[in-house]
Amino acid sequence: MTTQETHHSRTSPIRLIATDLDGTFLSSYYEASPVNIEAVRRAGDLGVPTVFATGRPWRWLDPLKGMEGAHRYVITSNGGLIVDLPKQEIVHGFPLDRDMTNEVIADVREHVPGAMFAVENIHGWAREEPYPHWEGIAQADLVVPLGGDLLVDDTTIKLLIRNGQSTSDLLRQVEPLIKDRLTLTVSLDSEDGFLELSQPGVSKGTTLNYLLGELGIDPGEVAAFGDMPNDLTMLELVGYPFIVDNAADALKSQGFPTCGRFDESAFGLTVSKLLGLGL
């Protein structure tokens, strides 16, 4: 049996599209191309809405403003939240267990030199003082000394870990420590990388599956697009999985069909072919 044959049957008509944002739907300038926007609009006119599934927190969804044809629901924080975008409301959340997360933080801090932590909460974020603050990103709502308590309430949905090393080096150190206590994933592979951890069993794929159940849509009737390991569970779930040419090796090794470069409107052109939109 080939890798592709392990996915849902592709004999069903497409009723919904799910796509990652950065590196897949958005360009390298973090904007949606006219072709991608038109594909979402035209697909929506046919009754095939687009659900965006991103590692971004829900406060970073400005590129989706005015995206006609898209579904009202957006999956954010690697599956940690489902957001009603027009209403700017949380539909469903999967927060971290406070005791378990603090246990993981203590273990990583003990065994990974230079480990620094931050957390995404439903309505903001918090970081340890040494944790890098990216230019252009809103200031943290809470900054604590190294080793201070970051989980001050029960709304934390994602733990972030950095130590100044590359994503791959950090992953090799942290992954054996986590086991099944949290879901560990990667959405950015860089020389100054970071890791993201969610509630056990929570991912883009599980949350998309939950949403599809609420909508009465079978996963075999869904096309999905991605580029990084945090998209893997979503791609494995659906009947029509696609990766962009710039996808991580971890996805390319799974045998998913490739659809072109993200900076050349691969999403929009592929959706056009799938649905006969003529773009």
Side-chain angles (χ1 to χ4, degrees):
M1 179 178 291
T2 67
T3 301
Q4 182 58 45
E5 288 171 339
T6 65
H7 303 300
H8 284 269
S9 169
R10 299 182 66 170
T11 60
S12 302
I14 295 174
R15 296 180 58 197
L16 185 138
I17 299 161
T19 183
D20 171 53
L21 283 180
D22 297 289
T24 304
F25 182 80
L26 300 179
S27 73
S28 53
Y29 296 100
Y30 306 109
E31 297 175 346
S33 72
V35 171
N36 285 355
I37 294 172
E38 183 67 4
V40 169
R41 186 188 69 79
R42 295 273 296 277
D45 290 344
L46 291 177
V48 182
T50 299
V51 169
F52 297 101
T54 177
R56 292 184 178 215
W58 72 301
R59 63 184 184 277
W60 291 3
L61 299 181
D62 285 352
L64 301 184
K65 288 181 178 178
M67 197 72 66
E68 295 179 4
H71 205 286
R72 66 185 302 168
Y73 297 132
V74 178
I75 296 170
T76 71
S77 300
N78 290 327
L81 290 177
I82 301 174
V83 177
D84 185 321
L85 192 59
K87 291 185 177 181
Q88 288 290 291
E89 293 178 355
I90 302 299
V91 175
H92 199 86
F94 302 92
L96 298 176
D97 178 82
R98 186 173 183 179
D99 291 340
M100 180 67 74
T101 304
N102 279 326
E103 180 182 297
V104 168
I105 289 174
D107 286 349
V108 173
R109 195 184 304 279
E110 179 180 356
H111 293 98
V112 179
M116 302 167 285
F117 301 89
V119 295
E120 285 286 353
N121 300 316
I122 289 178
H123 295 290
W125 72 293
R127 66 179 176 91
E128 292 182 326
E129 193 169 8
Y131 190 94
H133 176 258
W134 287 342
E135 185 177 353
I137 301 301
Q139 293 289 331
D141 304 278
L142 174 67
V143 179
V144 303
L146 187 68
D149 186 8
L150 287 168
L151 283 78
V152 296
D153 56 34
D154 296 323
T155 68
T156 300
I157 53 173
K158 188 163 67 170
L159 173 66
L160 305 172
I161 305 174
R162 304 182 78 165
N163 74 339
Q165 298 185 16
S166 69
T167 300
S168 56
D169 287 342
L170 182 58
L171 181 63
R172 281 193 291 270
Q173 296 175 72
V174 171
E175 191 170 27
L177 302 172
I178 303 302
K179 300 178 181 178
D180 59 354
R181 294 182 294 177
L182 296 175
T183 297
L184 171 63
T185 193
V186 172
S187 65
L188 176 67
D189 190 4
S190 71
E191 289 305 307
D192 184 16
F194 64 94
L195 302 178
E196 300 164 274
L197 299 95
S198 305
Q199 183 190 116
V202 170
S203 66
K204 287 187 182 183
T206 59
T207 301
L208 176 61
N209 196 41
Y210 171 87
L211 181 57
L212 294 176
E214 295 294 300
L215 299 173
I217 297 176
D218 186 273
E221 301 172 311
V222 177
F225 297 79
D227 74 314
M228 289 298 292
N230 64 332
D231 299 314
L232 177 61
T233 56
M234 179 172 70
L235 295 167
E236 290 178 327
L237 174 70
V238 304
Y240 299 80
F242 295 94
I243 59 173
V244 288
D245 288 358
N246 50 284
D249 289 341
L251 295 190
K252 290 181 177 178
S253 66
Q254 299 300 310
F256 297 116
T258 57
C259 62
R261 289 193 53 79
F262 81 109
D263 254 345
E264 297 174 357
S265 301
F267 167 87
L269 295 174
T270 303
V271 168
S272 177
K273 291 178 182 177
L274 289 171
L275 302 180
L277 301 180
L279 295 179

